[in-house]
Amino acid sequence: MHDSSLETLEDVVEHYAQGGQGHPNTDPAIHPLELTTQEKADLVAFLHALTDETFLEDPRFQPAH
């Protein structure tokens, strides 16, 4: 999660699948997604597939020390 409140992508998907509960600024229009266990697993797999490992490991794009 952008604020490090959730450790894994699976945790983030579960958080949103439950409607993002627990945050005082949650829009009342947000509701649980009602995803099955398989749909959540498929979503996580898809999101992992978007990661460009070549880019992440390319020294040209590493932060300066």
Side-chain angles (χ1 to χ4, degrees):
M1 195 88 183
H2 68 281
D3 64 357
S4 299
S5 63
L6 301 171
E7 291 187 26
T8 68
L9 192 51
E10 289 82 2
D11 292 340
V12 173
V13 168
E14 186 62 37
H15 172 75
Y16 284 108
Q18 294 177 13
Q21 300 170 2
H23 194 281
N25 293 326
T26 300
D27 187 311
I30 295 176
H31 54 85
L33 299 176
E34 300 179 17
L35 298 174
T36 66
T37 300
Q38 186 61 56
E39 288 170 330
K40 291 180 218 176
D42 291 345
L43 178 56
V44 168
F46 170 73
L47 293 170
H48 278 296
L50 298 177
T51 301
D52 183 350
E53 297 294 339
T54 303
F55 171 79
L56 292 176
E57 296 171 6
D58 191 320
R60 296 175 297 167
F61 304 110
Q62 299 302 309
H65 296 285

